[in-house]
Amino acid sequence: AAGNAATPVTSSSFAVDTSVPSISAITTDAFSWGAVLNATDDNINGTVTVTTVGVEDGQTVAITLNGNTYTAYISNNAATVTILAAGLQDLSNGQSYTMIANVLDAAGNAAIQVTSSSFAVDTSVPSINAITTDAFSWGAVLNAIEDNSNGTVTVTTLGLEDGRPLTITLNDIPYTATVNNNATTVTISAAGLQGLTNGQSYTMIANVSDAAGNPATPVTSSSFAVDTSVPSISAITTDAFSWGAVLNATDDNINGTVTVTTVGVEDGLPLTITLNGNTYTSNISSNSTTVTIPADGLQGLTNGQSYTMIANVSDAAGNAATPVTSSPFAVDTSVPSISAITTDAFSWGAVL
């Protein structure tokens, strides 16, 4: 009131920062799980990489997913936000989700929040049905004939999209085919089959994943045996024929027999003898058998001709012995005759 003037005071300075920071677009490339979250991805923490413009180091960026907020600190205008496994596991299978990112600069200017690209949740695990020996083109036993050509294994699945590759591993070698309508036929090369060890048994392991990357539980097939030992038929000489080297008019009045011995043929397997276009069969016991040739079959042979017989047999695995052709035998059914004996034939004539 007396008019005394106060010394003027200069305030502290303040800065003007009206530059609004920004958050770059957040695409599925920024998600550690990509465009689809699968049943393997949600077993561990995931990450979302966020880049910004105009945000100082140490500022907090927040990502909101499914009502939960996850944060990380900016460094060089970038941050990697960890999304907990528990948060990922809470997402609903079959649904799609987006995330919202927010950040402030040091002046408190808020970036326009960014909604990420959407991602799908597919945690349905596909499955492979049991693979039994019925699925193998060679069945329960691989023999020496079957391994001369490619084999196949038929596999059926559940929950797989068309075009997915399914792999069968046999003897440490993978073979692959494409699934169509939840089924596929995998080709096993002849070379792969020939690489298996005779006398051993093998299983195969099937693996496949769906389009989301969910792997089916690997399936081990039923086992199959490898039996590529070829049996054999011993030489069949005329000693093996009940009629010997010549069939006569008495021999063909009754059934005849042919005795055959083998190597490597299980009991109960049928051995066939073919004679004159007719086939006769008997079962092996202790690598031997006696085949009956009926009398009418012998009587059907032509007098004056020679014949051989062909023997065939396969073992239980289906390995065929090399056919054996017997020694030949002759047919002589011409009955000799004795001329009338008159007294002229006696040295003493009609009276002694």
Side-chain angles (χ1 to χ4, degrees):
N4 296 307
T7 301
V9 172
T10 301
S11 71
S12 298
S13 65
F14 64 92
V16 178
D17 182 349
T18 55
S19 298
V20 177
S22 63
I23 302 169
S24 303
I26 306 172
T27 66
T28 56
D29 292 337
F31 314 153
S32 58
W33 57 87
V36 181
L37 179 77
N38 66 35
T40 303
D41 298 324
D42 72 1
N43 287 331
I44 58 174
N45 295 340
T47 61
V48 178
T49 300
V50 182
T51 58
T52 59
V53 175
V55 180
E56 299 84 356
D57 288 356
Q59 291 302 111
T60 301
V61 62
I63 288 283
T64 301
L65 170 62
N66 197 33
N68 297 312
T69 299
Y70 308 93
T71 60
Y73 294 114
I74 295 290
S75 176
N76 294 323
N77 272 304
T80 299
V81 182
T82 298
I83 311 297
L84 300 178
L88 296 175
Q89 291 163 5
D90 281 342
L91 303 179
S92 297
N93 182 42
Q95 299 297 310
S96 291
Y97 291 86
T98 58
M99 293 175 275
I100 297 174
N102 286 281
V103 73
L104 301 174
D105 67 10
N109 295 302
I112 295 172
Q113 67 179 201
V114 168
T115 299
S116 73
S117 298
S118 66
F119 66 92
V121 178
D122 182 349
T123 52
S124 297
V125 178
S127 62
I128 302 169
N129 295 323
I131 306 171
T132 66
T133 56
D134 291 338
F136 314 152
S137 59
W138 57 86
V141 181
L142 178 75
N143 66 34
I145 296 172
E146 290 160 340
D147 73 359
N148 288 330
S149 59
N150 295 341
T152 60
V153 179
T154 299
V155 184
T156 59
T157 59
L158 292 173
L160 281 175
E161 303 85 355
D162 287 355
R164 300 304 301 166
L166 181 143
T167 299
I168 287 279
T169 301
L170 170 61
N171 200 29
D172 295 326
I173 299 173
Y175 305 92
T176 302
T178 299
V179 170
N180 185 41
N181 291 327
N182 272 306
T184 191
T185 299
V186 182
T187 298
I188 310 296
S189 67
L193 295 175
Q194 290 163 4
L196 304 179
T197 302
N198 182 43
Q200 298 296 310
S201 290
Y202 292 86
T203 58
M204 292 175 274
I205 298 176
N207 285 278
V208 73
S209 294
D210 66 13
N214 295 301
T217 300
V219 167
T220 299
S221 73
S222 298
S223 65
F224 67 92
V226 178
D227 182 349
T228 52
S229 297
V230 178
S232 62
I233 302 169
S234 303
I236 306 172
T237 66
T238 56
D239 292 337
F241 314 153
S242 59
W243 58 85
V246 179
L247 179 76
N248 65 33
T250 302
D251 296 325
D252 73 1
N253 286 329
I254 59 173
N255 295 340
T257 60
V258 179
T259 300
V260 183
T261 59
T262 59
V263 175
V265 181
E266 299 85 353
D267 288 356
L269 271 292
L271 179 142
T272 62
I273 288 282
T274 301
L275 170 62
N276 197 33
N278 297 311
T279 299
Y280 309 97
T281 302
S282 181
N283 290 336
I284 296 289
S285 177
S286 299
N287 272 305
S288 180
T289 193
T290 298
V291 183
T292 297
I293 311 296
D296 60 359
L298 296 175
Q299 292 163 5
L301 304 179
T302 302
N303 181 41
Q305 298 297 311
S306 290
Y307 292 87
T308 58
M309 292 174 276
I310 299 175
N312 284 279
V313 73
S314 294
D315 66 13
N319 295 302
T322 300
V324 167
T325 299
S326 73
S327 297
F329 67 91
V331 179
D332 183 350
T333 53
S334 297
V335 178
S337 61
I338 303 171
S339 301
I341 305 172
T342 67
T343 56
D344 293 338
F346 309 155
S347 60
W348 56 87
V351 179
L352 178 63

